[in-house]
Amino acid sequence: MDRRRALELYRAPFPLYALQIDPSAGLLIAAGGGGAAKTGIKNGVHFLQLQQINGRLSASLLHSHDTESRATMNLALTGNILAAGQDAHCQLLRFQAYQQKGNKAEKTAVYDAGSKEQGPRQRKGTAAEEKKSRAETQREGVELRVENLKAVQTDFSPDPLQKVVRFNHDNTLLATGGTDGYIRVWKVPSLEKVLDFKAHEGEIEDLTFGPDGKLVTVGWDFKASVWQKDQLVTQLHWQENGPTLSGMPYRYQACRYGQVPDQPRGLRLFTVQIPHKRLRQPPPCYLTAWDGSTFLPLRTRPCGHEVISCLSVSESGTFLGLGTVTGSVAIYIAFSLQRLYYVREAHGIVVTDVAFLPEKGRGPELLGSHETALFSVAVDSRCQLHLLPSRRSVPVWLLLLLCVGLIFVTILLLQSAFPGFL
């Protein structure tokens, strides 16, 4: 059993459900809450400043944005715009930091989260403006403002809930899916509806945009579908080259696109399949890698008997991150689907989201000597950090030297055993 231990990075005053990382500003954004029930548990979005202190990655609360009576269950990020799934609605938020000049009221923007500029990022306080939930936090002359933009209802089932939101690759559109089985696509930032179509019978569990505009969706009807706008292109069949199962129904739980390392135009699709029914002796869950153009399965591997709850792909497409309903966290090699890292019951309760530290912006600086970093959040209100040490590799010159030495030793042995060999 792997004896690794995760590092607790932050503990929120409410259950955490969603996680995003802004690489340009080095911000970790965690969201959740207790919902509309009057339990005294707040709802909010917390902005944490990531930084290296004495060689260790740490996080400090930079800003707390109150979402009033609605808990944020899912997030998507582009630049300094957040799309937050709150009950049956999608709420757009914009955040920005400002630098105060002395004691004067004038302020200058020090960074836009979507830009390459980096200014100070410190801790702040709250203030509301009419019909806008805008909070400000101050520390050493820096303010972070979070402003509510537009909101729209995205799910219309009897018990409506938005379950997933994603931006497309040029960030001009976002897609939402929920319990009514419909995909709805919206313009950004106007939230003008572009598409509205029935994608699945029952709940939509996950969706992901490809760079060519194709949309992959997975639902509770055991289907994974590929769409070009509202037209069905194909459906995925993971068992074509996979294991032979004895009548056990599986459904798709998650889907994500990822790059192929060292292939600029290469594209992979990854899906997770879980047993539809919970059994006393649960069968394994499976990871499948697909060709991102033909949508043919390339390889399928079991990924343990714990039910997978969430999936993430690193920015370069090198690693996959998994969370489980029992609180465990794992990191896999995307190419071979081999497990590199595993912490059993790191949270002790369902892991609701995982995200890799991006490899651009401030990512390399924050990563330090490690190969990758995965963040996880769960209903236990904790955000944990999972670090994968750099794997030692042997230089090519040393391998060549060893080969030459081996050949030389072999010749000497043959010469001593068979005089006159040469």
Side-chain angles (χ1 to χ4, degrees):
M1 181 184 296
D2 199 320
R3 295 185 179 180
R4 299 178 192 265
R5 292 186 61 185
L7 303 174
E8 184 172 316
L9 201 64
Y10 178 69
R11 186 176 293 229
F14 46 73
L16 293 172
Y17 296 107
L19 176 65
Q20 288 290 324
I21 301 171
D22 169 27
S24 63
L27 293 178
L28 186 151
I29 305 166
K38 296 180 180 180
T39 60
I41 300 177
K42 294 183 177 181
N43 302 295
V45 180
H46 281 190
F47 294 77
L48 307 175
Q49 181 66 69
L50 294 172
Q51 52 191 340
Q52 280 276 356
I53 299 179
N54 297 325
R56 297 186 63 180
L57 187 60
S58 66
S60 58
L61 180 62
L62 186 68
H63 173 76
S64 176
H65 177 69
D66 185 9
T67 57
E68 300 177 351
S69 63
R70 295 194 292 193
T72 299
M73 305 300 291
N74 40 84
L75 283 175
L77 173 67
T78 176
N80 67 335
I81 300 292
L82 276 172
Q86 299 173 350
D87 298 335
H89 295 76
C90 182
Q91 172 73 61
L92 290 187
L93 303 169
R94 179 168 57 207
F95 60 95
Q96 195 168 18
Y98 292 85
Q99 176 72 57
Q100 285 187 320
K101 294 184 177 180
N103 295 323
K104 297 180 181 179
E106 59 178 311
K107 299 159 189 166
T108 304
V110 294
Y111 77 90
D112 223 351
S115 74
K116 295 182 180 179
E117 298 179 11
Q118 295 180 18
R121 305 158 194 91
Q122 307 292 342
R123 201 170 288 187
K124 309 139 195 152
T126 66
E129 296 185 0
E130 65 181 273
K131 293 190 178 180
K132 288 184 179 181
S133 172
R134 177 181 294 184
E136 302 177 3
T137 330
Q138 300 183 12
R139 183 184 175 190
E140 297 181 0
V142 178
E143 290 184 358
L144 181 74
R145 291 185 175 184
V146 181
E147 178 184 0
N148 283 343
L149 301 178
K150 291 195 174 184
V152 65
Q153 185 171 350
T154 62
D155 193 81
F156 296 89
S157 64
D159 188 14
L161 177 66
Q162 176 181 301
K163 298 193 70 175
V164 60
V165 58
R166 298 276 183 264
F167 287 101
N168 69 344
H169 275 249
D170 63 8
N171 303 316
T172 58
L173 302 171
L174 66 83
T176 60
T179 55
D180 64 1
Y182 278 79
I183 290 293
R184 295 177 174 91
V185 180
W186 316 82
K187 287 185 179 180
V188 178
S190 66
L191 292 186
E192 175 188 345
K193 190 190 298 181
V194 177
L195 291 173
D196 185 341
F197 62 95
K198 183 78 169 179
H200 293 273
E201 296 297 330
E203 299 182 11
I204 292 175
E205 196 64 48
D206 202 4
L207 61 86
T208 184
F209 270 110
D212 59 355
K214 288 189 176 69
L215 182 67
V216 180
T217 64
V218 300
W220 276 58
D221 56 0
F222 308 100
K223 294 179 181 179
S225 303
V226 182
W227 306 88
Q228 186 72 59
K229 295 186 177 180
D230 58 352
Q231 299 300 308
L232 180 64
V233 176
T234 188
Q235 289 187 338
L236 306 183
H237 302 282
W238 70 279
Q239 290 175 306
E240 282 186 355
N241 297 326
T244 302
L245 305 174
S246 56
M248 167 58 65
Y250 276 74
R251 64 177 176 85
Y252 294 90
Q253 171 67 14
C255 57
R256 287 289 186 282
Y257 273 106
Q259 295 181 357
V260 179
D262 302 324
Q263 295 184 26
R265 296 186 179 181
L267 192 65
R268 292 285 183 267
L269 176 69
F270 300 94
T271 60
V272 170
Q273 296 79 236
I274 65 172
H276 183 60
K277 295 181 179 179
R278 303 285 178 87
L279 302 176
R280 182 171 296 180
Q281 294 183 342
C285 298
Y286 289 93
L287 267 172
T288 299
W290 308 75
D291 186 291
S293 301
T294 63
F295 299 103
L296 295 175
L298 300 175
R299 64 188 60 85
T300 295
R301 298 286 186 273
C303 53
H305 293 265
E306 298 171 272
V307 177
I308 305 301
S309 57
C310 51
L311 166 70
S312 180
V313 182
S314 66
E315 191 172 47
S316 64
T318 306
F319 301 106
L320 306 178
L322 296 179
T324 75
V325 298
T326 50
S328 302
V329 177
I331 298 175
Y332 283 73
I333 299 176
F335 173 74
S336 62
L337 304 184
Q338 173 189 354
R339 192 172 75 185
L340 286 178
Y341 172 100
Y342 174 73
V343 178
R344 183 176 178 84
E345 297 180 2
H347 288 274
I349 197 169
V350 59
V351 178
T352 48
D353 204 0
V354 291
F356 283 98
L357 181 68
E359 297 158 18
K360 60 185 178 183
R362 295 190 60 212
E365 166 201 339
L366 295 169
L367 190 59
S369 61
H370 295 90
E371 191 164 2
T372 193
L374 180 70
F375 300 92
S376 62
V377 294
V379 182
D380 62 2
S381 307
R382 293 185 296 164
C383 176
Q384 293 191 346
L385 171 64
H386 309 268
L387 292 169
L388 184 66
S390 295
R391 290 169 289 171
R392 295 180 180 178
S393 58
V394 179
V396 175
W397 64 266
L398 183 56
L399 287 175
L400 293 175
L401 186 61
L402 289 173
C403 289
V404 171
L406 184 60
I407 293 171
F408 183 71
V409 170
T410 303
I411 292 174
L412 289 178
L413 291 174
L414 289 172
Q415 180 67 23
S416 62
F418 306 101
F421 173 73
L422 291 178

